[in-house]
Amino acid sequence: MFSLIFFLSQKFAGRGAKENFLWFLSLFSVAGIALGVTTLMLVLGVMNGFSNELKKKIVGANPTIYIEGRPLLHDYRQMMKQVSPLAGVQGIAPFLSSQVIYRSSHYLLGGILKGVDPLAEPKVTNLAEFFRKGGLDCLHQGLVLGSELARELEVDVGDQVTVIGGLLARQQTFKVTGIIECGVYSYDVSVGLTALTNVQQLFGLGDVVHGLGIRSDNIYASEALAEKISRLLKDRYPVTTWIQKNKILFAALALEKKAMAIILVLIILVASFNIVSTLMITVFRKTREIGILRAVGLSAGDIGKIFFCQGLLLGVEGLLAGLLLGGLLSYLLRRYQFIRLPEFVYNLSRLPIEIAWKDVGFISLAVLVIVSLASFYPARRAARLNPVEALKYE
Amino acid sequence: MALLRGEGLTKKYGAVTALSDVTVEIQQGDIVVVLGPSGSGKTTLLNLLAILDRPSSGRVFLNGQEITHLPDPEAARLRNRNFGFVFQFFHLLPELTVRENVFLPLWIKERQASGLNGYRRQAEELLARFDLLGKKNAYPAQLSGGEMQRVAICRSLICQPQVVFADEPTGSIDRQAAASLLDLIGRLNQQQTATFVIATHNEIFLQIATKVVYLKDGRIERTEKTKIT
């Protein structure tokens, strides 16, 4: 039976005989849905792209799991031996981190000084990739500054920077030996790095650290691994993840994406009004044909199905065209990266785009629901036509 | 037992009575001609007998079974399997080719797309009998009035109905086409014992009628059985 309904739906959409008027109306309905779908797909894809780029940068610059001391870890070497063999642990590295004041010959700026183990750190962060000047071996010899911090202090490799910090306001002058840039502005404008031993010496600490940074195999499985580590350490120390530390940021991004999706679904809603008017005009113009079909044996329900199917068909065509166009544009954007961004604002030079299957599913479902609702009323109107009155219609 | 029987059929549209207490009986093989001037209730009577419309009062029986108030899907199925329709303005679907128009009721009856080749073949056989095979892929707009009426007759016969209802079948065709239509209906009636109920004001149908019902102002003025019976 569906094939008959589908056949008549197609014919009534003006595709069989040359009914240009209905064909144009159908075409515009399809185009409206297609444009809505393309817009929704591209915007959600760009938001995914931004979010994923940000995640990559955050995860690149930081460990995925932290074991934090209260405030110091004295038995960190033992702890490293305990945690390292756990499944899912890719690397583990100690760190000392403190708020400090950086003083150059011209400026004074607040920031964070991190003491890291130059051998272990590359196993938990992508530090080695961030060097614009110098390399990991520079950490022993002096201070490596974030690119924005160095710019603000107006210093470069070879210049002197004094670091002031700790409860007793200890200070030490370091030679700038390297510049790093990870692409996250808040990191690049505040962080200075040196070898762990240099920080221990600056603050007069012994062989202690503030915490351990861990990189997990799967960044999205960090929560489960963190729980395992916490149990292993008998809950003596707080174990947190990159997700928890950036919860607010990612919650804001997710909220923004939801808001955009809701706003953009309105485009499809508006486009579906085209379908309503197309179907209403079709019902109006095909009144006599409806009477004929009733006479030759179609029930009121069958008539309703024809117009419902026609609406659905327009929606599905629009959806497929939109997905195709959206997919093609996304591919071209990824392949040729022709939309440039001001890097100092976005930390990205090209517009990132990543289409998620979940979003494609959401868009498809939204279109099908909206189009079904839009088709319902015209289909009901068609079904309710009195066959005798319909046959008289001129 | 009558093939089709309308009993005390009355149809009112608000204060207007279109048909009043009409009783008719149609036997297998009859050609019943309902004659009367415009507004006499001919089309209303046809619509009620074919259960396209429901009477304000009265009942309709097919083979002794009451069919007056069947639920819509059952009424639709019954119309499809038992009744054929020929209208004054042909009422072919303009979006469909001649062949598609003809096999559409068969598709509705069988509801199987897998039988499409069979439906096409049956439609072509019927079109060939009516000298229309050459026009099978034409659209109705490309046909003459007489051709359209013959296509409409093909469509009405494809499901081998018990009764064919024709409402002013000569209303939109010239005298020559009307004469050949008359001949065609007569032949179909004799060769296949097809039963026809024809609402018309054209008295040429009296030549082939087995029964004539004269309507005036929604009432039966008189009923005549003709010598052809």
Side-chain angles (χ1 to χ4, degrees):
Chain A
M1 186 58 187
F2 176 73
S3 55
L4 173 63
I5 298 292
F6 183 75
F7 171 78
L8 292 170
S9 300
Q10 287 271 54
K11 295 288 182 182
F12 280 4
R15 288 160 202 202
K18 293 173 187 82
E19 259 199 278
N20 288 335
F21 178 67
L22 287 179
W23 187 80
F24 267 114
L25 277 180
S26 303
L27 190 71
F28 278 105
S29 301
V30 169
I33 297 283
L35 281 178
V37 168
T38 304
T39 311
L40 193 52
M41 200 169 162
L42 288 178
V43 170
L44 294 185
V46 167
M47 299 208 73
N48 285 339
F50 265 117
S51 178
N52 290 344
E53 282 294 320
L54 199 60
K55 275 179 196 167
K56 271 185 213 164
K57 292 194 173 199
I58 286 172
V59 170
N62 299 285
T64 52
I65 298 170
Y66 296 86
I67 303 170
E68 287 162 305
R70 288 174 168 161
L72 297 166
L73 289 179
H74 294 271
D75 54 346
Y76 74 95
R77 290 183 193 278
Q78 176 60 30
M79 215 177 275
M80 282 170 76
K81 280 182 192 161
Q82 265 184 289
V83 173
S84 294
L86 278 181
V89 174
Q90 205 176 66
I92 183 161
F95 66 86
L96 271 165
S97 175
S98 178
Q99 291 199 351
V100 295
I101 293 168
Y102 292 104
R103 191 177 69 201
S104 66
S105 52
H106 302 289
Y107 296 98
L108 202 65
L109 279 174
I112 292 165
L113 176 68
K114 278 190 84 176
V116 296
D117 178 346
L119 291 176
E121 189 63 16
K123 292 175 189 163
V124 296
T125 64
N126 298 342
L127 182 63
E129 297 167 16
F130 300 153
F131 277 92
R132 294 286 167 268
K133 289 177 181 171
L136 283 166
D137 52 339
C138 304
L139 289 164
H140 276 301
Q141 296 151 14
L143 187 65
V144 172
L145 291 177
S147 57
E148 288 298 314
L149 181 60
R151 200 173 59 81
E152 298 269 319
L153 289 168
E154 286 189 7
V155 294
D156 206 341
V157 171
D159 293 337
Q160 303 279 321
V161 169
T162 304
V163 179
I164 307 158
L167 288 170
L168 300 172
R170 288 166 181 266
Q171 56 178 289
Q172 186 177 334
T173 302
F174 289 91
K175 187 179 162 187
V176 177
T177 52
I179 303 287
I180 54 166
E181 187 175 293
C182 79
V184 180
Y185 182 78
S186 59
Y187 186 94
D188 292 336
V189 82
S190 63
V191 172
L193 295 167
T194 186
L196 190 65
T197 47
N198 291 341
V199 181
Q200 287 168 337
Q201 201 180 343
L202 169 67
F203 295 124
L205 300 168
D207 186 21
V208 292
V209 295
H210 280 133
L212 294 172
I214 295 163
R215 171 162 280 187
S216 52
D217 285 345
N218 177 359
I219 62 167
Y220 298 103
S222 303
E223 299 278 337
L225 185 58
E227 269 182 41
K228 221 190 299 182
I229 294 169
S230 188
R231 277 200 302 275
L232 182 73
L233 302 176
K234 299 190 168 54
D235 298 325
R236 280 181 296 151
Y237 301 102
V239 181
T240 54
T241 66
W242 68 281
I243 296 170
Q244 288 162 356
K245 281 188 182 291
N246 297 285
K247 200 187 275 178
I248 294 172
L249 175 66
F250 289 120
L253 283 175
L255 182 68
E256 198 181 357
K257 189 179 165 188
K258 268 183 202 161
M260 291 302 284
I262 290 167
I263 292 164
L264 292 172
V265 160
L266 292 179
I267 296 180
I268 296 175
L269 201 65
V270 172
S272 73
F273 283 107
N274 278 344
I275 291 188
V276 177
S277 49
T278 300
L279 289 182
M280 288 304 289
I281 291 170
T282 310
V283 170
F284 180 70
R285 285 178 70 109
K286 300 291 175 190
T287 299
R288 199 170 63 177
E289 283 80 351
I290 291 169
I292 298 166
L293 289 171
R294 295 294 309 274
V296 299
L298 281 188
S299 66
D302 294 330
I303 298 293
K305 282 178 202 161
I306 290 172
F307 289 91
F308 187 78
C309 180
Q310 194 184 332
L312 216 55
L313 202 69
L314 295 175
V316 169
E317 283 173 354
L319 173 66
L320 292 178
L323 290 178
L324 208 67
L325 188 63
L328 181 70
L329 287 174
S330 312
Y331 169 76
L332 293 175
L333 269 171
R334 278 175 74 104
R335 178 82 175 77
Y336 298 105
Q337 303 197 327
F338 46 81
I339 298 184
R340 289 164 183 263
L341 296 176
E343 200 169 358
F344 66 95
V345 178
Y346 297 103
N347 292 317
L348 295 168
S349 58
R350 301 280 195 274
L351 191 72
I353 187 156
E354 275 180 45
I355 304 296
W357 286 112
K358 197 173 72 177
D359 291 338
V360 172
F362 161 74
I363 295 167
S364 306
L365 191 69
V367 168
L368 291 179
V369 169
I370 290 171
V371 165
S372 300
L373 291 175
S375 310
F376 182 74
Y377 177 71
R380 210 172 119 194
R381 279 288 296 261
R384 286 188 165 188
L385 281 176
N386 179 309
V388 172
E389 294 302 318
L391 282 167
K392 282 184 202 163
Y393 189 81
E394 293 293 330
Chain B
M1 184 175 58
L3 171 65
L4 185 66
R5 177 180 162 80
E7 193 177 282
L9 295 174
T10 298
K11 182 68 183 178
K12 289 180 181 174
Y13 296 101
V16 181
T17 303
L19 206 64
S20 181
D21 195 25
V22 169
T23 296
V24 283
E25 259 188 20
I26 294 130
Q27 303 294 337
Q28 171 75 41
D30 265 353
I31 297 178
V32 176
V33 174
V34 182
L35 265 181
S38 296
S40 59
K42 305 186 295 290
T43 302
T44 306
L45 177 60
L46 251 65
N47 289 339
L48 294 181
L49 289 172
I51 58 167
L52 272 169
D53 205 357
R54 290 184 176 181
S56 307
S57 65
R59 298 188 295 175
V60 182
F61 296 88
L62 179 71
N63 297 318
Q65 297 281 317
E66 188 177 348
I67 58 170
T68 329
H69 295 290
L70 287 177
D72 179 68
E74 281 179 46
R77 196 176 310 123
L78 186 135
R79 272 197 303 272
N80 174 253
R81 285 159 193 247
N82 297 284
F83 300 149
F85 294 90
V86 179
F87 300 99
Q88 178 181 359
F89 298 106
F90 325 121
H91 284 0
L92 298 174
L93 293 169
E95 305 83 357
L96 271 54
T97 63
V98 163
R99 186 173 59 177
E100 288 166 344
N101 263 289
V102 173
F103 74 64
L104 183 68
L106 194 58
W107 195 357
I108 294 171
K109 183 183 173 188
E110 302 296 340
R111 308 219 156 199
Q112 298 291 328
S114 55
L116 263 175
N117 284 336
Y119 311 152
R120 286 193 188 107
R121 191 177 38 75
Q122 287 189 53
E124 284 172 15
E125 281 171 14
L126 209 49
L127 285 168
R129 280 172 54 198
F130 287 75
D131 292 329
L132 286 164
L133 192 57
K135 303 276 184 181
K136 67 177 180 180
N137 292 320
Y139 285 93
Q142 298 165 315
L143 303 179
S144 69
E147 285 171 331
M148 279 197 269
Q149 197 59 293
R150 277 187 287 151
V151 173
I153 291 172
C154 286
R155 182 181 65 187
S156 74
L157 296 173
I158 189 88
C159 288
Q160 297 173 318
Q162 296 195 60
V163 185
V164 175
F165 293 94
D167 189 7
E168 296 287 6
T170 54
S172 303
I173 52 178
D174 57 36
R175 286 178 64 181
Q176 196 184 346
S180 58
L181 179 70
L182 190 74
D183 179 50
L184 186 66
I185 291 175
R187 274 192 287 129
L188 286 169
N189 177 251
Q190 280 173 3
Q191 291 165 5
Q192 299 179 4
T193 60
T195 305
F196 285 87
V197 181
I198 303 163
T200 184
H201 61 267
N202 189 341
E203 295 194 354
I204 65 162
F205 283 101
L206 294 179
Q207 295 170 35
I208 56 166
T210 56
K211 189 176 190 176
V212 185
V213 176
Y214 291 91
L215 276 184
K216 192 177 178 190
D217 299 331
R219 290 177 180 277
I220 292 182
E221 206 175 36
R222 65 179 196 278
T223 303
E224 282 177 7
K225 283 194 175 182
T226 64
K227 56 189 176 185
I228 297 168
T229 313

